[in-house]
Amino acid sequence: MFTTRPTLRGTFGMVSSTHWLASQSAMAVLEDGGNAFDAAVAAGFVLHVVEPHLNGPAGEVPILLAPAGGEVRVLCGQGPAPAGADIAHYRGLGLDLVPGTGPLAAAVPGAFDAWMVLLRDHGTKSLAQVLRYAIEYAENGHPPVARIADTVETVRELFETEWTSSAEIYLKDGRAPSGTGLLRNPALAATWRRILREAAAPGRAREAEIDAARAVWREGFVAEALVAQAARPTMDTSGRRNTGTLAAADLAHWSARYEAPTTYDWNGWTLCKAGGWSQGPAFLQQLALLPEELPPYGSAAYVHLLVEGGKLAMADREAWYGDAQPVPLDDLLSCDYNEGRRELVGERASYELRPGSPGGRPPRLSAHARAVAVGAAARPTDTAPAAGVGEPTVARHTRHGDPGGPTATGPGHRGAPTAARHGDPGEPTVASDGSTRGDTCHLDIVDRWGNMVAATPSGGWLQSNPVVPELGFPLGTRLQMAWLDPGLPNSLTPGRRPRTTLTPSLALRDGVPVLAFGTPGGDQQDQWQLHFFLAVAYGGLGLQEAIDAPNWHQDSFPGSFYPRTMLPGSLTVESRIGAATVEALRARGHAVTVGGEWSEGRLCAVARDPATGVLSAAANPRGMQGYAVGR
């Protein structure tokens, strides 16, 4: 099968990420004697600098780590809702949805603390050694990818008139960043240098220094600046200037924590994901829904089966996943439950949102989810936009009474939820040339000792909130994923995590970690990852072949990102899937949109053969940013 690049193979170390500078920085750490966890932290901070439209330090990151000879663990870098972020407060502001931008959507930042805990507990390098690459790129500049300028242009007017602190960095002299020059962020470099100074002390051990840096973030000058920013009235997608709820106590009392992974055994593989506060178990449910015998890999019947199973898993995600109520994962992943659910997969495409009843529990949906499911099902889908709903929402400037949202009485305002207009912000908006308007980042690393890590940093995008002037980066917007209806697993609840779409993966054979993978892509992440994994485990493809294989996604469920729309029956495929397959899918009732040849997915992957010690890596060619390196 044709591949755009070779699958890299070696024995020393392998890195794959969504930006070549992050990949090479991680490799430099490995070459300097660091392990996979040191390298991951270095790469994570570089991604904050070189992909600011996709992630930032005040965003979030779930991390799956497999220390050599140890157990797989999840390190949760998803912060919760602040103490003041309750449903009554948002309803009192006249909101039916959490805005997609602005401080009202800001959860407690989680990414920085998670990277610090990973470095402290599993790394070997000092904080200065892993931060040096990010500091150099922020201080001295880096050639920005074109997607940064594209994103800045979508919010130019907002930056110039409302979020002027962002314009100071991303509209220097009125010009968006250009790939022919260098993009600098001196405020961000100064933030990292000040943290290093304040954390350092004569004779202080490496671990103590990292904890001191965490304290500076949580209780020092960083915390003060973040809280001050949240208190500034800020234009958001509601069309009003709102203040946030983030307070000093929220930052001081939260820290990243370890959890056991949620796992599922399939055909000799054990798949590891984050828990029900993420969408990760939806990947496992899709495996559980598969019959014992699958159609030929890549056939229309095969695609139909995966798409229809995905609809059922995502409907269960909507009804059952979250952090505000217990998630019945044992029932959701049980054989009996999924045998019954499998019977719902017919020969025709479903246009319904059909959550199940694990353990006999009746499903509960938010009023908005019910409304968009009913309203969207009544609309024709042949005019649906090719792109799915996703992340990040891009704020727009308000003028002449335009609320900046889909409609003046649409999502986010009192009144019945309505569908988004064509072109409303979302992620990943995939153009015919494979470009995306913005999404998320990912990295996978394996070292010569067998340590393995997968992480999906996101949130805190430059288009999510104004840049905090003192710090050089914005707050995040993950609270937009929580509902303003009480009693749901994903209800907005102080101290509880909003359900995240971020979902890195680790796979084991005979109890040994052999594969780390993941992708940006909001709601599409566990659809694209399922196809990749099955291409390897069922289709017999190599890593690069599996990443390059034609991919697809469906949007037959309420999206996780403002304005939370749904496109029943929609199926977007890459044109390389072939005209015959497209017609066969349409004959089964799918509303197929044919995208560009390279328009679906941004996967990364690394692997290790425990029998030989051979390491391998591959990266996505779509978007022309992701690269694997290694030797």
Side-chain angles (χ1 to χ4, degrees):
M1 180 178 178
F2 167 79
T3 62
T4 57
R5 309 163 178 177
T7 295
L8 304 185
R9 291 167 60 82
T11 57
F12 180 82
M14 290 287 163
V15 179
S16 180
S17 88
T18 50
H19 196 289
W20 61 86
L21 292 180
S23 294
Q24 191 55 50
S25 297
M27 195 66 200
V29 173
L30 294 180
E31 295 284 3
D32 193 42
N35 65 21
F37 309 115
D38 296 311
V41 177
F45 279 93
V46 169
L47 287 172
H48 294 332
V49 178
V50 301
E51 293 193 323
H53 57 311
L54 308 181
N55 81 131
E60 43 276 328
V61 57
I63 304 170
L64 267 68
L65 59 144
E71 295 184 353
V72 176
R73 302 292 287 171
V74 175
L75 179 53
C76 174
Q78 173 59 64
D86 58 21
I87 291 173
H89 176 68
Y90 288 70
R91 291 287 188 181
L93 295 172
L95 298 168
D96 291 328
L97 292 177
V98 177
T101 60
L104 273 178
V108 177
F112 180 84
D113 199 63
W115 289 126
M116 292 299 97
V117 171
L118 181 67
L119 181 66
R120 182 197 66 189
D121 295 347
H122 298 280
T124 64
K125 295 291 189 179
S126 70
L127 182 55
Q129 287 173 318
V130 297
L131 272 180
R132 57 171 288 201
Y133 307 94
I135 291 173
E136 289 173 1
Y137 286 128
E139 198 165 60
N140 301 323
H142 61 94
V145 295
R147 304 295 176 257
I148 296 177
D150 295 342
T151 302
V152 170
E153 289 297 347
T154 68
V155 288
R156 170 183 285 275
E157 188 175 357
L158 181 75
F159 278 15
E160 291 175 337
T161 59
E162 296 279 349
W163 296 7
T164 54
S165 59
S166 300
E168 290 177 9
I169 296 174
Y170 297 108
L171 282 172
K172 205 74 174 176
D173 300 321
R175 294 191 297 271
S178 167
T180 60
L182 295 176
L183 174 59
R184 294 178 175 87
N185 190 338
L188 179 56
T191 295
W192 298 144
R193 289 196 182 279
R194 183 174 173 183
I195 288 175
L196 289 174
R197 287 196 307 272
E198 295 192 12
R204 180 172 280 172
R206 187 186 76 91
E207 293 83 357
E209 184 178 81
I210 294 169
D211 277 336
R214 297 174 66 209
V216 172
W217 176 278
R218 293 157 62 181
E219 302 176 75
F221 80 94
V222 176
E224 292 173 2
L226 292 174
V227 171
Q229 181 64 44
R232 294 183 179 114
T234 301
M235 180 65 68
D236 61 33
T237 52
S238 74
R240 297 189 292 269
R241 295 179 182 88
N242 288 304
T243 57
T245 61
L246 185 67
D250 299 313
L251 286 156
H253 296 155
W254 182 84
S255 65
R257 68 174 189 255
Y258 294 101
E259 300 176 357
T262 300
T263 63
Y264 185 78
D265 294 331
W266 184 84
N267 283 10
W269 295 79
T270 299
L271 283 302
C272 302
K273 297 292 255 182
W277 52 271
S278 75
Q279 73 169 331
F283 176 95
L284 308 180
Q285 276 193 265
Q286 290 177 88
L287 290 174
L289 284 162
L290 295 175
E292 289 187 10
E293 293 188 12
L294 300 180
Y297 171 80
S299 65
Y302 175 84
V303 176
H304 172 80
L305 179 69
L306 268 57
V307 168
E308 293 305 297
K311 292 175 183 177
L312 295 174
M314 296 302 270
D316 277 343
R317 185 197 74 163
E318 186 55 52
W320 297 109
Y321 292 16
D323 195 39
Q325 299 287 336
V327 181
L329 287 177
D330 288 345
D331 289 325
L332 286 166
L333 297 176
S334 69
C335 292
D336 289 346
Y337 177 72
N338 286 289
E339 283 178 5
R341 295 284 277 163
R342 195 178 301 127
E343 294 176 0
L344 296 176
V345 177
E347 293 298 316
R348 300 282 298 174
S350 170
Y351 280 51
E352 300 177 72
L353 184 67
R354 298 181 291 179
S357 300
R361 306 169 184 84
R364 290 192 61 193
L365 299 173
S366 70
H368 181 89
R370 292 196 304 270
V372 297
V374 171
R379 294 196 309 273
T381 58
D382 57 355
T383 58
V389 288
E391 72 174 280
T393 302
V394 179
R396 289 176 302 200
H397 179 56
T398 301
R399 48 183 177 177
H400 306 308
D402 178 6
T407 61
T409 58
H413 301 269
R414 295 293 188 193
T418 61
R421 291 194 306 250
H422 178 70
D424 273 332
E427 181 262 305
T429 300
V430 183
S432 60
D433 63 355
S435 64
T436 56
R437 187 159 58 208
D439 45 273
T440 293
C441 308
H442 186 81
L443 63 89
D444 301 303
I445 305 175
V446 60
D447 64 28
R448 62 190 185 274
W449 300 288
N451 298 304
M452 188 175 287
V453 61
T456 310
S458 187
W461 315 287
L462 66 86
Q463 64 274 33
S464 64
N465 258 301
V467 165
V468 183
E470 305 91 332
L471 302 177
F473 59 84
L475 286 164
T477 54
R478 193 62 56 171
L479 290 189
Q480 67 180 290
M481 297 187 153
W483 293 115
L484 297 181
D485 300 47
L488 303 174
N490 194 30
S491 296
L492 180 66
T493 306
R496 295 292 182 173
R497 294 164 289 189
R499 187 193 71 215
T500 183
T501 55
L502 307 176
T503 173
S505 303
L506 276 171
L508 289 67
R509 296 282 280 181
D510 300 320
V512 179
V514 297
L515 179 63
F517 59 100
T519 180
D523 293 313
Q524 286 75 45
Q525 289 180 33
D526 279 323
Q527 300 183 57
W528 290 334
Q529 289 186 71
L530 178 74
H531 179 216
F532 163 80
F533 172 72
L534 290 177
V536 172
Y538 172 65
L541 276 60
L543 294 188
Q544 193 64 52
E545 289 178 309
I547 288 175
D548 287 352
N551 217 321
W552 60 80
H553 81 268
Q554 53 89 12
D555 297 304
S556 292
F557 52 88
S560 295
F561 294 86
Y562 185 95
R564 314 297 297 269
T565 54
M566 173 177 169
L567 299 172
S570 70
L571 174 59
T572 304
V573 303
E574 290 181 325
S575 60
R576 292 180 298 122
I577 202 170
T581 301
V582 169
E583 291 310 310
L585 290 167
R586 285 174 172 157
R588 291 173 180 263
H590 296 279
V592 180
T593 297
V594 179
E597 291 184 327
W598 301 94
S599 56
E600 292 284 319
R602 288 180 63 203
L603 283 143
C604 301
V606 300
R608 179 178 182 269
D609 184 340
T612 64
V614 172
L615 313 177
S616 55
N620 175 59
R622 301 163 179 87
M624 305 304 289
Q625 284 180 223
Y627 278 89
V629 295
R631 69 173 179 87

PDB file of all heavy atoms in Angstrom, residues 22 332-333 416 425 487 492 603 629:
ATOM      1  N   ALA A  22       8.371  20.365  18.000  1.00  0.00           N
ATOM      2  CA  ALA A  22       8.139  19.624  19.239  1.00  0.00           C
ATOM      3  C   ALA A  22       8.772  18.243  19.155  1.00  0.00           C
ATOM      4  O   ALA A  22       9.386  17.768  20.121  1.00  0.00           O
ATOM      5  CB  ALA A  22       6.647  19.515  19.513  1.00  0.00           C
ATOM      6  N   LEU A 332     -21.590  -0.426  30.695  1.00  0.00           N
ATOM      7  CA  LEU A 332     -21.454   0.092  29.335  1.00  0.00           C
ATOM      8  C   LEU A 332     -20.499  -0.750  28.491  1.00  0.00           C
ATOM      9  O   LEU A 332     -20.644  -0.817  27.267  1.00  0.00           O
ATOM     10  CB  LEU A 332     -20.964   1.537  29.373  1.00  0.00           C
ATOM     11  CG  LEU A 332     -21.998   2.583  29.811  1.00  0.00           C
ATOM     12  CD1 LEU A 332     -21.316   3.899  30.142  1.00  0.00           C
ATOM     13  CD2 LEU A 332     -23.055   2.792  28.737  1.00  0.00           C
ATOM     14  N   LEU A 333     -19.523  -1.386  29.126  1.00  0.00           N
ATOM     15  CA  LEU A 333     -18.542  -2.187  28.391  1.00  0.00           C
ATOM     16  C   LEU A 333     -18.806  -3.682  28.509  1.00  0.00           C
ATOM     17  O   LEU A 333     -18.005  -4.487  28.024  1.00  0.00           O
ATOM     18  CB  LEU A 333     -17.132  -1.868  28.896  1.00  0.00           C
ATOM     19  CG  LEU A 333     -16.652  -0.431  28.691  1.00  0.00           C
ATOM     20  CD1 LEU A 333     -15.277  -0.221  29.314  1.00  0.00           C
ATOM     21  CD2 LEU A 333     -16.628  -0.060  27.213  1.00  0.00           C
ATOM     22  N   ALA A 416     -35.489  28.477  22.042  1.00  0.00           N
ATOM     23  CA  ALA A 416     -35.210  27.137  21.563  1.00  0.00           C
ATOM     24  C   ALA A 416     -33.873  27.081  20.863  1.00  0.00           C
ATOM     25  O   ALA A 416     -33.524  27.967  20.094  1.00  0.00           O
ATOM     26  CB  ALA A 416     -36.318  26.698  20.602  1.00  0.00           C
ATOM     27  N   PRO A 425     -18.123  28.633  13.813  1.00  0.00           N
ATOM     28  CA  PRO A 425     -16.836  28.110  14.242  1.00  0.00           C
ATOM     29  C   PRO A 425     -16.955  26.720  14.828  1.00  0.00           C
ATOM     30  O   PRO A 425     -17.930  26.370  15.459  1.00  0.00           O
ATOM     31  CB  PRO A 425     -16.382  29.117  15.293  1.00  0.00           C
ATOM     32  CG  PRO A 425     -17.625  29.771  15.772  1.00  0.00           C
ATOM     33  CD  PRO A 425     -18.543  29.794  14.602  1.00  0.00           C
ATOM     34  N   GLY A 487     -28.434  17.411  37.369  1.00  0.00           N
ATOM     35  CA  GLY A 487     -28.658  15.975  37.509  1.00  0.00           C
ATOM     36  C   GLY A 487     -28.093  15.101  36.423  1.00  0.00           C
ATOM     37  O   GLY A 487     -28.366  13.892  36.404  1.00  0.00           O
ATOM     38  N   LEU A 492     -22.751  21.097  34.686  1.00  0.00           N
ATOM     39  CA  LEU A 492     -21.767  22.014  35.243  1.00  0.00           C
ATOM     40  C   LEU A 492     -21.852  21.954  36.769  1.00  0.00           C
ATOM     41  O   LEU A 492     -22.907  22.243  37.351  1.00  0.00           O
ATOM     42  CB  LEU A 492     -22.035  23.444  34.756  1.00  0.00           C
ATOM     43  CG  LEU A 492     -21.069  24.508  35.273  1.00  0.00           C
ATOM     44  CD1 LEU A 492     -19.661  24.272  34.728  1.00  0.00           C
ATOM     45  CD2 LEU A 492     -21.564  25.905  34.896  1.00  0.00           C
ATOM     46  N   LEU A 603      -3.269  11.826  13.032  1.00  0.00           N
ATOM     47  CA  LEU A 603      -2.786  10.802  13.946  1.00  0.00           C
ATOM     48  C   LEU A 603      -1.277  10.787  14.112  1.00  0.00           C
ATOM     49  O   LEU A 603      -0.523  11.087  13.177  1.00  0.00           O
ATOM     50  CB  LEU A 603      -3.252   9.423  13.476  1.00  0.00           C
ATOM     51  CG  LEU A 603      -4.720   9.114  13.790  1.00  0.00           C
ATOM     52  CD1 LEU A 603      -5.376   8.334  12.688  1.00  0.00           C
ATOM     53  CD2 LEU A 603      -4.821   8.387  15.119  1.00  0.00           C
ATOM     54  N   VAL A 629      10.270  11.425  14.432  1.00  0.00           N
ATOM     55  CA  VAL A 629      11.733  11.365  14.372  1.00  0.00           C
ATOM     56  C   VAL A 629      12.184  10.235  15.280  1.00  0.00           C
ATOM     57  O   VAL A 629      11.453   9.811  16.181  1.00  0.00           O
ATOM     58  CB  VAL A 629      12.391  12.692  14.813  1.00  0.00           C
ATOM     59  CG1 VAL A 629      12.045  13.810  13.870  1.00  0.00           C
ATOM     60  CG2 VAL A 629      11.991  13.057  16.246  1.00  0.00           C
TER      61      VAL A 629
END
